[in-house]
Amino acid sequence: MNRCTAVLAILMFLVLTGCGGEKAMPPPDKGTDVQPRDVPAPPLPTPAPVPSGAADQVTVYFATDRAEFVPTPWSYAGEFFWALGVFLGGLLLLRSLAHMTKDEFRGRVRVLWILWGVGVALLVANGVYECVDIQQDLERQGRLFGGERFITPFATGGEPELEDVLQFGSCTVTIPPDRVIGEVSRPSFWKADWFEDPAAHNVALDVERKRADAFFAEVKAVVAQSTDQDAFVFVHGYNVSFEDAVIRTGQIAYDLDFQGAAIAYSWPSQGQKGKYTVDEANVGWTVEHLHRFLLTLEQEIGAKKIHLIA
């Protein structure tokens, strides 16, 4: 028997015996209701669609030793420093290349000139966008805490009151639908997503300052009504603005389905990548304020647990 005949015989055997196929079902017991195999299973219930434009909201409490942000012409002009640096640096570099390059390579230098011009134009447009965004923040919130230190008043004697070194308040953070857990959605110039929309972005709204006694009383009421009677304090890191800090706190509370009080402690980070040394100095400056705040929080709100996230 040659090889082809042997292979054919094996295949016929497998087909006839049903080897490798589905096993035959045993006959059902009497009284057992067996559905025919061609009847489809009932469809699973689908969740109700989220209404278009709907967004959840989370209340975030905050304590901060930042200064209140009061815009000046310099605060807007600062958004254009990168464009100015690229403009001047690129101009000097390209002028030098133009003098040093031979005639046959001048076409490549012209391409560099075009790329340089496009880059400067994009940076200028981004600066305009950032200025408009700052103005929208101020109009929407009434106040926006900046990156500078809060000026501590001189005490007449003894240790200053906690309210002299910290400012307290609350705000509302919007949580848009159809987002990934852990994601913070913000407008971006480079993604052509320019206009802030509470239905599509995480936005801090209704920033409201409170007296220290009113702040702790309100947090205590939230803790008392929560299932586990707890709270968490989120302490952000380097290169984080006040707005980013409270938005991240709201995102954490929402994604954890946290029922207690969500509190952001926002120290005066400059919110800029190039200000690491300033942030480092401000961290040391804020340590005592954070220490006093945590001790006071423990004494005033009556929580069973206070979770510290840093």
Side-chain angles (χ1 to χ4, degrees):
M1 184 181 294
N2 57 29
R3 291 184 179 180
C4 293
T5 306
V7 171
L8 181 60
I10 292 172
L11 290 176
M12 291 295 294
F13 174 78
L14 292 176
V15 171
L16 292 175
T17 59
C19 182
E22 293 184 2
K23 295 183 179 179
M25 293 182 63
D29 297 334
K30 292 183 179 180
T32 304
D33 183 16
V34 178
Q35 294 182 349
R37 303 177 76 186
D38 58 348
V39 176
L44 296 175
T46 56
V50 178
S52 177
D56 290 329
Q57 295 184 345
V58 178
T59 299
V60 173
Y61 298 91
F62 64 83
T64 182
D65 50 8
R66 293 177 182 264
E68 189 170 349
F69 176 62
V70 179
T72 64
W74 285 109
S75 61
Y76 292 107
E79 300 297 336
F80 297 95
F81 284 161
W82 283 107
L84 181 62
V86 172
F87 175 80
L88 295 177
L91 182 63
L92 293 175
L93 178 62
L94 291 173
R95 292 283 294 180
S96 300
L97 284 175
H99 288 296
M100 297 169 56
T101 305
K102 297 180 179 179
D103 292 340
E104 59 266 26
F105 296 109
R106 292 192 182 277
R108 299 181 182 180
V109 176
R110 292 191 186 96
V111 173
L112 292 177
W113 275 101
I114 294 173
L115 293 176
W116 168 77
V118 171
V120 171
L122 287 174
L123 287 173
V124 170
N126 182 63
V128 173
Y129 165 77
E130 294 292 342
C131 293
V132 172
D133 187 54
I134 289 174
Q135 193 61 39
Q136 288 178 345
D137 286 336
L138 293 171
E139 293 173 356
R140 185 183 66 252
Q141 299 180 27
R143 62 178 63 86
L144 180 67
F145 290 91
E148 300 299 326
R149 293 178 175 180
F150 177 63
I151 306 301
T152 306
F154 291 100
T156 54
E159 192 175 39
E161 296 293 330
L162 188 62
E163 202 165 17
D164 292 334
V165 294
L166 288 176
Q167 300 176 69
F168 302 96
S170 66
C171 66
T172 301
V173 175
T174 60
I175 309 294
D178 302 326
R179 51 177 287 278
V180 179
I181 291 179
E183 178 187 36
V184 171
S185 178
R186 297 290 296 151
S188 171
F189 172 80
W190 303 106
K191 295 180 181 179
D193 182 20
W194 300 345
F195 301 102
E196 194 171 63
D197 180 6
H201 302 120
N202 297 97
V203 181
L205 300 171
D206 306 323
V207 179
E208 179 184 0
R209 290 180 61 176
K210 301 178 183 292
R211 291 183 53 85
D213 52 357
F215 170 84
F216 288 112
E218 195 167 324
V219 172
K220 182 177 181 179
V222 174
V223 169
Q225 295 173 5
S226 64
T227 304
D228 297 326
Q229 297 184 11
D230 57 352
F232 79 77
V233 178
F234 173 63
V235 184
H236 61 80
Y238 148 74
N239 185 27
V240 177
S241 67
F242 169 80
E243 186 177 27
D244 291 339
V246 296
I247 286 176
R248 177 63 72 179
T249 305
Q251 171 264 310
I252 293 172
Y254 183 85
D255 287 344
L256 293 179
D257 193 21
F258 191 77
Q259 303 301 313
I263 306 169
Y265 182 88
S266 185
W267 54 275
S269 166
Q270 303 301 291
Q272 300 177 33
K273 293 181 180 179
K275 297 293 184 69
Y276 184 88
T277 54
V278 180
D279 279 10
E280 188 178 25
N282 286 351
V283 164
W285 179 79
T286 198
V287 166
E288 181 59 28
H289 304 163
L290 175 60
H291 183 216
R292 290 184 59 188
F293 171 67
L294 293 176
L295 291 178
T296 306
L297 191 69
E298 181 186 20
Q299 296 168 1
E300 296 291 337
I301 68 173
K304 292 183 178 179
K305 287 184 180 180
I306 297 177
H307 312 277
L308 184 61
I309 305 175

